[in-house]
Amino acid sequence: MDLAYTPKQRVFREEVRAWLADNVSRQPLASYDTKEGFEQHREWERRLFDHRLSMVMWPEALGGRGCDLIEWLIFEEEYYASGAPLRVNQNGQLLLGPTLMEFGTEAQKQRFLPRMAASEDMWAQGWSEPNAGSDMAAITSKAIRDGDHYVLNGQKTWSTRAIYADWLFGLFRSDPASSRHHGLSFVLVPLDTPGVTIRPIRALNGKEAFAEIFFDDVRVPVDNRIGDEGQGWHVAMATAGFERGLLLRSPGRFQHTARRLVALYQAHRETADRDPTIRDTVCESWMGAEAYALAAYHTVGRLAKGARIGDEASTNKIVWSELDLKMHETAMRILGARGELLAEAPDAGDAASWLEGFLFAQAGPIYAGTNEIQRNIIAERMLGLPKS
Amino acid sequence: MDLAYTPKQRVFREEVRAWLADNVSRQPLASYDTKEGFEQHREWERRLFDHRLSMVMWPEALGGRGCDLIEWLIFEEEYYASGAPLRVNQNGQLLLGPTLMEFGTEAQKQRFLPRMAASEDMWAQGWSEPNAGSDMAAITSKAIRDGDHYVLNGQKTWSTRAIYADWLFGLFRSDPASSRHHGLSFVLVPLDTPGVTIRPIRALNGKEAFAEIFFDDVRVPVDNRIGDEGQGWHVAMATAGFERGLLLRSPGRFQHTARRLVALYQAHRETADRDPTIRDTVCESWMGAEAYALAAYHTVGRLAKGARIGDEASTNKIVWSELDLKMHETAMRILGARGELLAEAPDAGDAASWLEGFLFAQAGPIYAGTNEIQRNIIAERMLGLPKS
Amino acid sequence: MDFTFNDDQLAFREAVSRFLMTEAAPEMLREVWETDIGRSPDLRHKIAEQGLTALSVPEDCGGLGMDDVAWSLMTQELGYYAIPDSLADTAYVAAGLITALPDSIATRSEWLGRIADGSIRIAVGHPVNPLVADAQPSDLLLLSHDDEVHAVPRSLVDVIANPSIDLSRRLGHVVWEPSSATRVATGDTGRALWAAVLERGVLSVAGQLLGLAQRMLDLSVDYAAQRKQFGKAIGSFQAVKHHLADVATRIEFAKPVLYRAAHAVAHGEDDAPVRVSHAKLACGEAAWLAARHGIQVHGAMGYTWEVDLQMFMKRAWALDASWGDRGFHKSRVAGFVLGDAAALGPGRTFEE
Amino acid sequence: MDFTFNDDQLAFREAVSRFLMTEAAPEMLREVWETDIGRSPDLRHKIAEQGLTALSVPEDCGGLGMDDVAWSLMTQELGYYAIPDSLADTAYVAAGLITALPDSIATRSEWLGRIADGSIRIAVGHPVNPLVADAQPSDLLLLSHDDEVHAVPRSLVDVIANPSIDLSRRLGHVVWEPSSATRVATGDTGRALWAAVLERGVLSVAGQLLGLAQRMLDLSVDYAAQRKQFGKAIGSFQAVKHHLADVATRIEFAKPVLYRAAHAVAHGEDDAPVRVSHAKLACGEAAWLAARHGIQVHGAMGYTWEVDLQMFMKRAWALDASWGDRGFHKSRVAGFVLGDAAALGPGRTFEE
C-alpha cells in the first residue's frame, strides 16, 4: 500500500486541471438530448480529442495517450471537478471501445477506435428489445448470413440518443435455430444503411433521449462482426461488465455531486435543518461518494496486479445508482417548493439543474441491468446461493 | 364518523384507569420467561380476572364482561398507559380464545374459556414444526383416530413458555394419506398426558422462552378436537388471522413505547442530537404508533358494521413489527454505550429494559408468519399478483 | 365512537370516481397538457354540472355544505385521476375562506354562488407557497399582505409563468399592489383566515398525494401482472411483490391519518395543525414510495413519456413540496411531540 | 499509488484466519462464556505463541513493528471469530500508547517486552468509553485523569463488574485514585497520547465489526443454502437473496474505507479522525445490517441461543456503540464535511 501519487501522475493531474480550467466554458451546453446540444457536445469532444484527452487510456496509435488506470481516475476526478460537460459518446467510447480492444481484429481497431475517440462516429447501443430488457438472452432480432453479408431483421429499443448517432452496435441472432445465450453475434451497423428506421422515444422529461430502431432486410458486411459468429453473448457480457463497472460511472462524478450537495445545503441551511435527516444525508453523501472512490482505487490497484473485474461490478452498479438517487432526492428536499421548476421558470435559480439530475437519477437503478438483476447476480455468483 | 366516546365508554375508561392506578405495582415483575416471573404473572392475571378485567370482550358467562371492540381498545390503552405487566396467557386468551368462540361447541366453551380467562389453565401454542415454520402446511405430526381418542405422534417447536404451560393447542395430521392443507385437525392436549416430553429452547437472551414438544403415542379424547375432523387448517387460519391482526398487538402497546421513547430522548437530548436522525425517528415513532392506533379504530369501526378482518391483517403485522423494531433501535442509539448492559449491571440504569425490548423486537418480523410471508400474502391476495 | 364513513359518503366517492374515470382519462390529460392554458373548460363545466364545485359552499348559498371529512375522499379521487385543474383550490380552499368572511363583505354570497355554479376560478396565494397555482387562468385571487386578506380581480395583477415538471401545474409569480379596495379582512381575523386556509390547503394536497399513490400502485400492479420476463409475469417475482406490498401497506396506514386530520380541521380541534402535518407526511411518503417502486417495477418503460406512470409520478413529486415542504411539516410535528409530554401516549388519539 | 495489500500482508491474514478457525471455534466460545473470568488463558497462550501479541511492538523491543494497516486485516479476523479476549486492546491499542511514551519511562520497554511475549494483559480506560473492557482480568490499566496518562497496576484499583449482553465483553466500572507514582504522561503529551489511543481503539472495533458482518453473512448464506421451505432452499427465494446481496455490498464498500482510515492513522494524516469515524460508521452499518438480515434469514432459529448467529449478532450490537457511539462519529464527520468545503470533491481522496 503506497498512497502517494508518482511525480508523473502529479504532473498529469496538473496538466489536465490547467487545460480544463482554460477550456471549460462557464456557460453550460444545451442538453445532449437535443439536436443543438448534441452538436455542442460533439464539438467539445473534438476539442478533448485534439488535446488527446478524449480517451486517455487508449494507446496513442488509436487516438489516446496510453494512460494507466490510476491516471484515468485522475483524469476523471479533474474532469468532474471542473464542471466539464457530460460525455456524449460514452456508449461507443466506454462500452464498445473496451470490447473492440479485447475482441476486435487489428483492422477493426484501426477502423473504428480513432474515429470513436474523435467523435467522428457517434455510437448507439443495441442491446434491449421490446421483450428482452433485463432478460437480454431473449433477443429475437436476426442477423442471417448471406454470402459476405448479414441480413438484419428485427427491432431494438432503449437506444440512448440513437436519433443523432452514426453507428449502432448490438446483439443479433445469427443462428435462427438457437435459443437463449447461444447463436448470437455481435454486429456493428451503420445507421444510414437502407432498411434502418429510427423512431424516437420521449423520456420522462419530454426529451427524445432514446429511440427504437427497426431493421428491415438491413445488409451489413460480415467484417462488421466483433468476435466469432455465435459468440456474441460472450463478447457482450464482457461489455456489460465494463458498463456496470467502473468505466461508465467513475467516482469523480459522484464526489462532484456530493460537493455540490454540501454547497446547496450550506446555502439553504436554515430551512433545510427543519428536516433533521437532510443534514445527515448530506454527510452520508460525502461518505458514500468517498467510499465509492476508495473502492475504485482498490479495484484499480488489483486490476493493475492482474486481477479481473468480476461480479463486484454488480455491487458497483447498485452503489452508484442508489447513491446518485439519494443525493438528488436530498437536493429536492432542500429545494422544497422550488424543486419542481423547469429551467425556463424565472424563479428556478439553481434548482433546475438538480431537477434534471433527479429525473436522470431515476433511471440509474434500471439501466445497465436493473438493480434487482444485480442483486440476483451477487447472491448467485458471489455468495453461491441457488438459482430460483 | 363520530369521534366522541359515549358516556358509557368514558365511564369504563375511568373505571379501568382507577383500578389499574390502585393495583399496578411500581416494582416490575420478574420476566415471565422464568419460573418465578411466570407465577407472578399468573397471580396478576388472577387479580385481573377477579375484577372481570382479564378478557373484557368475552361474555360474562364465560368470565368476561361483554365489552365491544371500542371498549376493548379503551381497556388496552389504559392497560399499557398504566405500565401494567405483559399478558402471560395471551396464546390462550388471544389466539385460542377467539377460535373456541367461533368453532367450539357450547360444552367446549364452558369447559375451557372461563378457566382460561382466570389463567387457571395456561396455554401453549403448537403450530410450528422443525420443517414447518413459515410453511405451516408442511406439518407432519399425526393424530390418528383410535376409537374415541386420537393418538398423537410427532414434534412441535417454538412453543412460547410451554415449559410452564398446562395445555397445548395445535394442528395434527388426522388423515395420514393427506398432504398440505388437507386432512389436518385442530386438537387440544393436556401437557401432563403420558408421552408428552417438553424440552426448553433458550432464546437470544439466554432465557428458556420456548420449547420443543415431543408426542409419543399421546392419547387425547376426540372431544378435544375443535371443529370438524380434517378441517383444522380452516380453523387455524382464522386463528392466525387474529394473531397477525389486532388482538395480539393492540395499538396501546406501541403508543406507550413511543411515549417512553420521547421521554428517553428528552432525558438524553444533548448527546442524542449529535446524530440528527434520532430526533427525526423519535417523531416518526409517535406518528407510526398514532397511525397504527387510527388504523385500529378504523378497522374496529368496520368490524362493528359487519366487515371481517381480511388480508389487511398482513399489513398490520408488518407495520407493528417494524415500528417496534425501529423504536427499540432508536432507544439503543440514544443509550449508546450503556445499551449493551444487562439489568444486573450497576451502571445500567434505565437502559436494561430497553435492551430487553430490543431483543424481543428482533422476533417481531419473524413470528406469527415472517414479514416476507406477509408481503407475499398482500401481493397475491390484496393486489392480485400471480403466485410465484 | 365510529371512525368510519357512512354509506352516503362512500356512495358519493364511488360516484365521483365513476364520473372522473369516464371524463378524465389519461389521454384527456395529455391533450390538456398541450394547450396553452393547461385547463379544460369543458371538464370544468362537466364537474360543475355534477355539483362538485358546490360541495363546500353553505346550503344557503346554493351549495351542499360538505365538510373536510367528505373532501378527504374527494381529494383522493382528484389525485387518482390527476385532475389538471385547481378545482380543490376554488371549491374547497377558497370556498372555506370566503365562507368564513363576515356577511358585511358585500360580494361574499355572490362569490359563493359563483363557486357553487362553477362560473369562477379562484387562485389562493398563501405565503407558504412561493408561487400561486393557477394564477394565470383565475378570475379572482386571494392574496396575503401581512395578516390582511385581499380578494384581487385577475385584471389587477401581473402573472409571470413558472413552468413545473408537472405540466398540470400552472404556477405564477404574482405581482400586485395591495389596496383598501381589495382588502376583505385584517388583523386577527385575517390571521385566523390564513391559518385556516393553510390547513385546508395541506389537507387538499395530502388527499391528492394519497390518490396519486393509489393510482401509481394500480398502474404498477397492472403492468407487473402483464409484463413477462424470463418466461414469467414479473409480478410473480418476489422482489416486485414485496416492493408493491410495501406501497400498499403505506397507503393503507396513511388513509386513517388523513381522515383523522380532516376531522380535526372540520371540528376546529386544537391539535389540528399537528394532525394535518402528520397526514401530509404520511401521504407524501406513500406517494414518494409508490413513485420509486412504480418506476422500478415498470423498468425502462416507467422512464418514458409514453407510459402513463410519468404523469402521476411527476405530479406526486411536485405536490409533495407544495403547501409546506417536509421540513415545514416535520417541524410542526416535532414541536408537538417534543413539547407536550402530557398529550402523548395511549388514549389521546381522539381526546385532547 | 497502490491502494492494495501486498502478498505478505495477505498471506499473514490467511495464516491468522487458519489459526483462529482451528483454535477458536464457536464451541470454544461457548465454553469460555461459561467461565467466571470469561477468558481462556490457553487461547491467549496459543495466540502469543503465534506471535500475534507482538505485532505492533517495535522490533527493538522484541516485536514485529507492524502498523495500523496490517492491524486492519488482523482485527477483521478477530471479529470474524469473535475472539473473547481483549487481545487488540493490549497488543494494538495499549501497545501503541506505550510505544509512544518517552524512553524515560523506565518500565516502557519491560511492558513492551511483556506485550510481545504475551505475559501481560492491559486494559485501556479511554474517557470515550464509560466502562473499561477487561478491567477485571487485566494486569495493568491505562487510565486517564484529565490529560494525564496513568499506568495503574490491577492491585491498585477496584473493579465493579457490569455484565453485557455480549458475554465475551467483560466490562468494569473502575474506581481508583490518581497518584504521581502511576502517572506516565501529562499535559500536551498526555493529550496527544489519548487522542492517538482513541483513533486506534476506534479502528480496532471498526475492523472487528467488519469481521463480524462477514461472519454473519457467511452463516446466513450457509443456512439459506441448506434450509428448505415450500420444497425449496430458502436461499433460492428472491427476498432472501436480495437481503444477503445488500449485506455483501455493504461489506465490500466498507473495507476500503477501513483501510484508508488505517493508513491515515499510520501516517499521522491530518484528516485521520474523519477517516476513522467514517470507517466506524461504515463498518457498524455493515454489521448492523448483517445482524438484521441474518436473523431474518435464519427465521426463528436466529432467535435462539443454540444457533451460532446470536454470538456474533450480540457482539456486533455491543461493539457498535463502543469507542464512540454513532452520534460521536457522525459529529466528527459532519464537522469536516460541513466545515471545510475546500477539502471536498474529486481528487481529495488521497491528498489533503
Side-chain angles (χ1 to χ4, degrees):
Chain A
M1 197 170 285
D2 171 9
L3 303 193
Y5 291 104
T6 63
K8 176 163 168 282
Q9 288 164 345
R10 287 179 195 279
V11 167
F12 178 66
R13 185 189 290 279
E14 289 307 322
E15 180 204 326
V16 172
R17 184 179 296 175
W19 189 87
L20 289 165
D22 289 345
N23 287 275
V24 174
S25 159
R26 286 189 171 270
Q27 187 63 34
L29 306 186
S31 162
Y32 60 15
D33 290 329
T34 64
K35 182 78 190 156
E36 175 203 8
F38 191 85
E39 286 309 322
Q40 290 174 1
H41 280 79
R42 190 201 282 248
E43 191 47 49
W44 165 252
E45 287 290 327
R46 285 179 180 147
R47 281 171 66 197
L48 278 173
F49 174 74
D50 289 343
H51 293 80
R52 281 296 186 273
L53 288 174
S54 75
M55 297 311 298
V56 295
M57 272 197 299
W58 291 8
E60 292 186 33
L62 295 172
R65 63 153 72 195
C67 287
D68 64 17
L69 281 161
I70 295 287
E71 288 164 330
W72 172 71
L73 283 170
I74 290 170
F75 170 80
E76 293 281 300
E77 287 171 356
E78 294 303 322
Y79 191 85
Y80 285 107
S82 75
L86 293 176
R87 306 296 300 271
V88 69
N89 202 8
Q90 55 190 6
N91 283 326
Q93 293 167 344
L94 304 185
L95 304 186
L96 176 57
T99 306
L100 274 168
M101 293 282 182
E102 189 165 348
F103 296 96
T105 63
E106 207 46 50
Q108 286 174 326
K109 291 184 196 175
Q110 289 296 341
R111 180 176 160 208
F112 293 114
L113 290 172
R115 289 180 57 83
M116 192 188 292
S119 285
E120 296 295 328
D121 295 333
M122 305 299 275
W123 285 84
Q125 179 249 87
W127 284 161
S128 299
E129 297 187 1
N131 291 305
S134 289
D135 182 13
M136 232 167 75
I139 280 171
T140 60
S141 290
K142 289 186 181 54
I144 303 302
R145 187 74 174 259
D146 178 22
D148 55 0
H149 279 70
Y150 286 109
V151 181
L152 312 187
N153 278 286
Q155 180 188 353
K156 296 289 181 182
T157 192
W158 308 125
S159 190
T160 317
R161 290 181 292 285
I163 55 172
Y164 309 123
D166 307 301
W167 281 81
L168 172 135
F169 60 95
L171 278 186
F172 295 83
R173 199 163 287 283
S174 50
D175 174 359
S178 66
S179 71
R180 305 294 302 162
H181 313 79
H182 308 284
L184 298 168
S185 293
F186 192 112
V187 179
L188 313 183
V189 189
L191 287 172
D192 58 359
T193 315
V196 172
T197 309
I198 303 179
R199 194 180 75 83
I201 302 175
R202 290 166 84 188
L204 214 49
N205 60 4
K207 300 213 178 83
E208 295 180 341
F210 313 101
E212 291 180 294
I213 305 173
F214 299 87
F215 303 89
D216 183 14
D217 286 337
V218 174
R219 295 180 67 85
V220 295
V222 168
D223 276 357
N224 287 14
R225 190 192 67 229
I226 309 296
D228 291 339
E229 184 167 292
Q231 292 301 307
W233 181 262
H234 173 60
V235 175
M237 280 303 100
T239 316
F242 282 115
E243 178 175 12
R244 284 198 301 273
L246 274 179
L247 279 178
L248 189 62
R249 291 293 175 260
S250 84
R253 177 180 180 134
F254 305 105
Q255 292 179 298
H256 182 59
T257 305
R259 177 164 65 177
R260 287 174 57 226
L261 185 64
V262 171
L264 183 75
Y265 167 76
Q266 299 282 28
H268 299 83
R269 193 158 183 164
E270 202 177 326
T271 49
D273 279 345
R274 293 168 311 151
D275 177 352
T277 64
I278 287 179
R279 179 175 193 265
D280 191 65
T281 318
V282 167
C283 292
E284 275 189 350
S285 297
W286 176 78
M287 288 192 276
E290 199 67 12
Y292 187 66
L294 288 164
Y297 272 88
H298 192 59
T299 300
V300 156
R302 292 193 304 112
L303 290 173
K305 290 180 176 178
R308 283 187 64 98
I309 291 197
D311 300 318
E312 71 220 50
S314 291
T315 64
N316 271 6
K317 165 74 209 296
I318 292 172
V319 168
W320 68 248
S321 60
E322 297 191 347
L323 172 63
D324 200 40
L325 201 52
K326 186 168 78 170
M327 290 195 289
H328 284 92
E329 278 185 11
T330 305
M332 295 296 282
R333 300 253 188 273
I334 294 173
L335 291 165
R338 268 199 308 138
E340 66 178 295
L341 298 182
L342 298 178
E344 53 266 41
D347 292 12
D350 56 353
S353 69
W354 285 106
L355 172 62
E356 197 62 29
F358 171 74
L359 296 177
F360 185 69
Q362 302 298 319
I366 295 166
Y367 67 85
T370 66
N371 286 8
E372 283 80 13
I373 298 284
Q374 307 308 329
R375 289 188 168 92
N376 288 346
I377 292 174
I378 295 166
E380 290 167 15
R381 300 199 207 147
M382 275 178 69
L383 304 180
L385 287 170
K387 292 220 163 207
S388 299
Chain B
M1 196 169 286
D2 171 8
L3 303 193
Y5 291 104
T6 63
K8 177 162 168 280
Q9 289 164 346
R10 287 179 195 278
V11 167
F12 178 65
R13 185 189 290 281
E14 288 307 322
E15 179 203 326
V16 172
R17 185 179 296 176
W19 188 86
L20 289 165
D22 289 345
N23 287 276
V24 173
S25 158
R26 287 189 170 267
Q27 187 62 34
L29 306 187
S31 162
Y32 60 16
D33 290 330
T34 63
K35 182 77 190 157
E36 175 202 10
F38 191 86
E39 286 309 321
Q40 290 175 1
H41 281 77
R42 190 200 283 248
E43 190 46 49
W44 164 253
E45 287 290 328
R46 284 178 180 147
R47 282 172 64 198
L48 278 173
F49 174 74
D50 288 344
H51 294 79
R52 282 292 185 275
L53 288 175
S54 74
M55 296 311 298
V56 295
M57 271 196 301
W58 291 8
E60 291 186 35
L62 295 172
R65 63 154 73 193
C67 287
D68 64 16
L69 281 161
I70 296 287
E71 287 164 331
W72 171 71
L73 283 170
I74 290 170
F75 171 80
E76 293 281 300
E77 288 171 356
E78 294 303 322
Y79 191 84
Y80 285 107
S82 75
L86 293 177
R87 306 296 299 270
V88 69
N89 202 9
Q90 54 190 7
N91 283 327
Q93 293 167 343
L94 304 184
L95 304 187
L96 177 57
T99 306
L100 274 168
M101 293 282 182
E102 189 165 347
F103 295 97
T105 63
E106 208 46 52
Q108 286 173 326
K109 291 184 197 176
Q110 289 296 344
R111 180 175 162 210
F112 293 114
L113 290 172
R115 291 181 55 83
M116 193 188 293
S119 284
E120 296 295 329
D121 295 334
M122 304 298 274
W123 285 85
Q125 177 249 89
W127 286 158
S128 299
E129 297 187 1
N131 291 305
S134 289
D135 181 13
M136 233 167 76
I139 281 171
T140 60
S141 291
K142 290 186 182 50
I144 304 301
R145 187 75 174 256
D146 179 21
D148 57 358
H149 279 70
Y150 286 109
V151 180
L152 311 188
N153 279 285
Q155 180 189 351
K156 296 289 180 182
T157 192
W158 308 124
S159 189
T160 315
R161 291 182 293 285
I163 55 173
Y164 309 123
D166 307 302
W167 281 80
L168 172 134
F169 61 95
L171 278 186
F172 296 83
R173 199 163 287 286
S174 50
D175 173 0
S178 66
S179 72
R180 306 294 300 162
H181 314 79
H182 309 286
L184 299 167
S185 291
F186 192 112
V187 179
L188 312 182
V189 190
L191 287 171
D192 58 359
T193 315
V196 172
T197 309
I198 303 180
R199 194 181 76 82
I201 302 175
R202 290 167 82 189
L204 214 49
N205 60 4
K207 301 213 177 84
E208 295 180 341
F210 312 101
E212 291 179 294
I213 305 174
F214 301 87
F215 303 88
D216 183 13
D217 286 337
V218 173
R219 295 179 68 84
V220 295
V222 168
D223 275 357
N224 287 15
R225 191 191 65 229
I226 309 296
D228 291 340
E229 184 167 292
Q231 292 301 306
W233 181 261
H234 174 59
V235 176
M237 279 304 99
T239 317
F242 282 116
E243 177 174 16
R244 285 197 301 273
L246 274 179
L247 278 179
L248 189 62
R249 293 290 174 262
S250 84
R253 176 177 181 137
F254 304 105
Q255 292 178 299
H256 183 58
T257 304
R259 178 165 65 178
R260 287 176 56 227
L261 185 63
V262 171
L264 183 74
Y265 167 76
Q266 300 282 29
H268 298 84
R269 193 158 184 164
E270 203 178 325
T271 51
D273 278 346
R274 293 167 312 150
D275 177 352
T277 63
I278 287 178
R279 177 174 195 267
D280 192 65
T281 320
V282 167
C283 293
E284 275 190 350
S285 298
W286 176 78
M287 287 192 275
E290 199 67 11
Y292 188 66
L294 288 164
Y297 272 89
H298 192 58
T299 300
V300 156
R302 291 194 303 113
L303 289 173
K305 290 180 177 178
R308 283 189 64 97
I309 290 198
D311 300 317
E312 70 220 51
S314 291
T315 64
N316 270 7
K317 165 73 208 297
I318 292 173
V319 168
W320 68 248
S321 61
E322 297 190 348
L323 172 63
D324 200 41
L325 200 53
K326 186 168 79 169
M327 290 195 289
H328 283 93
E329 279 184 11
T330 305
M332 295 296 282
R333 300 252 187 272
I334 294 172
L335 291 165
R338 267 199 308 139
E340 66 179 294
L341 299 182
L342 299 178
E344 52 266 40
D347 292 12
D350 55 354
S353 68
W354 285 106
L355 173 63
E356 198 61 31
F358 171 75
L359 296 177
F360 185 69
Q362 301 299 319
I366 296 166
Y367 67 85
T370 66
N371 286 9
E372 283 81 13
I373 299 284
Q374 306 309 329
R375 288 187 168 92
N376 287 346
I377 292 174
I378 294 166
E380 291 167 15
R381 299 198 208 147
M382 275 177 69
L383 304 180
L385 287 170
K387 292 219 162 208
S388 300
Chain C
M1 171 59 63
D2 172 17
F3 185 43
T4 63
F5 291 95
N6 61 36
D7 289 344
D8 284 352
Q9 289 169 319
L10 296 173
F12 161 71
R13 178 187 188 155
E14 186 59 29
V16 170
S17 177
R18 272 202 308 273
F19 165 68
L20 293 176
M21 191 188 308
T22 315
E23 299 297 339
E27 307 79 63
M28 188 279 287
L29 257 69
R30 289 173 185 273
E31 281 172 30
V32 172
W33 275 10
E34 301 296 326
T35 63
D36 277 348
I37 182 183
R39 297 291 171 255
S40 163
D42 181 51
L43 175 63
R44 185 67 168 244
H45 180 69
K46 286 179 179 155
I47 285 172
E49 270 184 351
Q50 293 292 316
L52 298 179
T53 49
L55 293 182
S56 317
V57 173
E59 293 179 64
D60 59 12
C61 295
L64 300 172
M66 284 169 84
D67 73 358
D68 305 272
V69 175
W71 268 100
S72 71
L73 297 175
M74 175 75 181
T75 53
Q76 285 180 73
E77 295 304 323
L78 294 177
Y80 192 86
Y81 295 100
I83 296 306
D85 200 299
S86 60
L87 172 66
D89 285 359
T90 298
Y92 175 43
V93 183
L97 187 151
I98 292 170
T99 302
L101 286 177
D103 285 338
S104 58
I105 303 293
T107 40
R108 176 182 177 275
S109 59
E110 179 207 325
W111 288 332
L112 288 172
R114 291 187 59 197
I115 292 171
D117 70 20
S119 66
I120 194 170
R121 189 184 287 273
I122 306 178
V124 180
H126 191 280
V128 81
N129 293 312
L131 298 169
V132 180
D134 270 19
Q136 181 71 37
S138 66
D139 303 297
L140 184 73
L141 296 93
L142 299 175
L143 298 173
S144 79
H145 176 64
D146 301 331
D147 290 338
E148 297 173 2
V149 182
H150 289 258
V152 190
R154 174 67 182 82
S155 57
L156 296 184
V157 308
D158 284 327
V159 175
I160 303 158
N162 270 270
S164 160
I165 183 67
D166 171 17
L167 288 186
S168 291
R169 301 259 291 164
R170 301 292 161 133
L171 299 170
H173 183 120
V174 175
V175 183
W176 66 294
E177 286 297 327
S179 80
S180 59
T182 57
R183 191 166 55 220
V184 293
T186 61
D188 286 348
T189 311
R191 201 161 35 240
L193 287 171
W194 283 124
V197 163
L198 174 63
E199 307 312 335
R200 293 220 160 82
V202 179
L203 272 185
S204 168
V205 288
Q208 291 180 68
L209 284 163
L210 198 52
L212 286 160
Q214 185 67 50
R215 182 61 169 271
M216 289 187 274
L217 175 60
D218 289 354
L219 288 171
S220 303
V221 166
D222 286 351
Y223 187 82
Q226 283 160 26
R227 168 78 177 172
K228 290 207 164 130
Q229 215 154 52
F230 301 101
K232 297 200 281 191
I234 61 169
S236 66
F237 291 107
Q238 225 181 13
V240 169
K241 283 186 182 173
H242 290 195
H243 277 338
L244 297 180
D246 284 342
V247 175
T249 302
R250 202 73 73 103
I251 291 172
E252 285 314 306
F253 280 80
K255 281 180 195 168
V257 178
L258 176 68
Y259 304 149
R260 179 68 187 88
H263 185 277
V265 170
H267 293 78
E269 297 174 34
D270 284 348
D271 60 1
V274 178
R275 301 263 171 215
V276 167
S277 282
H278 183 186
K280 176 85 184 313
L281 290 167
C283 297
E285 285 286 357
W288 200 273
L289 193 75
R292 177 84 277 283
H293 288 341
I295 194 171
Q296 199 62 26
V297 165
H298 276 76
M301 293 305 294
Y303 194 70
T304 64
W305 187 267
E306 187 183 344
V307 167
D308 291 339
L309 180 68
Q310 55 105 350
M311 292 187 284
F312 304 95
M313 198 159 56
K314 289 176 342 193
R315 188 157 177 80
W317 290 328
L319 289 184
D320 186 55
S322 74
W323 288 96
D325 59 17
R326 296 218 182 166
F328 177 84
H329 294 290
K330 281 189 171 186
S331 61
R332 295 212 305 182
V333 171
F336 172 77
V337 172
L338 306 180
D340 183 6
L344 305 176
R348 298 305 190 124
T349 305
F350 298 101
E351 306 258 273
E352 295 190 76
Chain D
M1 171 58 63
D2 172 17
F3 185 43
T4 63
F5 292 96
N6 62 36
D7 290 345
D8 285 353
Q9 289 170 317
L10 296 174
F12 160 74
R13 178 186 188 156
E14 185 59 32
V16 169
S17 176
R18 273 200 310 272
F19 164 70
L20 294 176
M21 191 188 309
T22 316
E23 299 297 340
E27 307 79 62
M28 189 278 288
L29 257 70
R30 290 174 184 273
E31 282 171 28
V32 172
W33 275 9
E34 300 297 325
T35 64
D36 277 349
I37 181 181
R39 298 291 170 256
S40 163
D42 181 49
L43 175 63
R44 184 65 168 246
H45 180 68
K46 285 179 179 157
I47 286 172
E49 271 185 349
Q50 292 291 316
L52 298 179
T53 49
L55 293 182
S56 314
V57 173
E59 294 179 62
D60 59 10
C61 294
L64 300 171
M66 284 168 84
D67 73 358
D68 306 272
V69 175
W71 268 100
S72 71
L73 297 176
M74 175 74 183
T75 52
Q76 285 180 74
E77 295 304 323
L78 295 176
Y80 192 86
Y81 295 100
I83 297 305
D85 200 299
S86 60
L87 172 66
D89 285 0
T90 298
Y92 176 42
V93 183
L97 187 151
I98 292 171
T99 303
L101 287 176
D103 286 338
S104 58
I105 303 294
T107 40
R108 173 181 178 277
S109 60
E110 180 207 323
W111 287 333
L112 289 172
R114 291 185 60 196
I115 291 172
D117 70 20
S119 65
I120 195 171
R121 191 184 286 274
I122 305 177
V124 180
H126 191 281
V128 80
N129 294 312
L131 298 169
V132 180
D134 271 18
Q136 181 72 36
S138 68
D139 304 298
L140 184 72
L141 297 93
L142 299 175
L143 298 173
S144 79
H145 176 65
D146 300 331
D147 290 338
E148 297 173 359
V149 182
H150 290 259
V152 190
R154 174 67 182 82
S155 56
L156 296 184
V157 308
D158 284 326
V159 175
I160 303 159
N162 270 271
S164 160
I165 182 67
D166 172 17
L167 288 187
S168 291
R169 301 258 292 164
R170 300 293 161 133
L171 299 170
H173 184 119
V174 175
V175 182
W176 67 294
E177 286 295 331
S179 80
S180 61
T182 57
R183 190 167 55 221
V184 294
T186 60
D188 285 350
T189 311
R191 199 157 40 238
L193 287 171
W194 282 125
V197 162
L198 174 63
E199 307 311 336
R200 292 220 161 83
V202 179
L203 272 185
S204 168
V205 288
Q208 291 180 67
L209 284 163
L210 197 53
L212 286 161
Q214 186 66 50
R215 182 61 168 272
M216 289 186 274
L217 175 61
D218 290 354
L219 289 171
S220 303
V221 167
D222 286 352
Y223 187 82
Q226 284 160 24
R227 168 78 177 172
K228 291 206 165 133
Q229 215 155 51
F230 301 101
K232 297 200 281 189
I234 60 168
S236 66
F237 291 106
Q238 226 182 12
V240 169
K241 282 185 183 174
H242 290 194
H243 278 337
L244 297 179
D246 284 341
V247 174
T249 302
R250 202 72 72 104
I251 291 173
E252 285 313 306
F253 280 79
K255 281 180 193 168
V257 178
L258 176 68
Y259 304 148
R260 180 68 188 86
H263 186 277
V265 170
H267 294 78
E269 296 174 34
D270 284 348
D271 61 2
V274 178
R275 301 264 172 216
V276 167
S277 283
H278 182 186
K280 176 84 184 318
L281 291 167
C283 297
E285 285 284 359
W288 199 273
L289 194 74
R292 178 83 277 281
H293 288 342
I295 195 170
Q296 198 61 26
V297 165
H298 276 77
M301 294 303 295
Y303 195 70
T304 64
W305 188 267
E306 186 182 342
V307 167
D308 291 340
L309 180 69
Q310 55 106 350
M311 294 187 283
F312 303 94
M313 198 159 56
K314 288 176 343 194
R315 187 159 179 79
W317 290 328
L319 290 184
D320 185 56
S322 73
W323 288 95
D325 58 17
R326 296 216 182 167
F328 177 85
H329 294 290
K330 282 189 172 186
S331 60
R332 295 212 305 180
V333 171
F336 172 77
V337 172
L338 306 180
D340 183 7
L344 305 176
R348 298 304 191 125
T349 305
F350 298 101
E351 307 257 274
E352 296 188 77

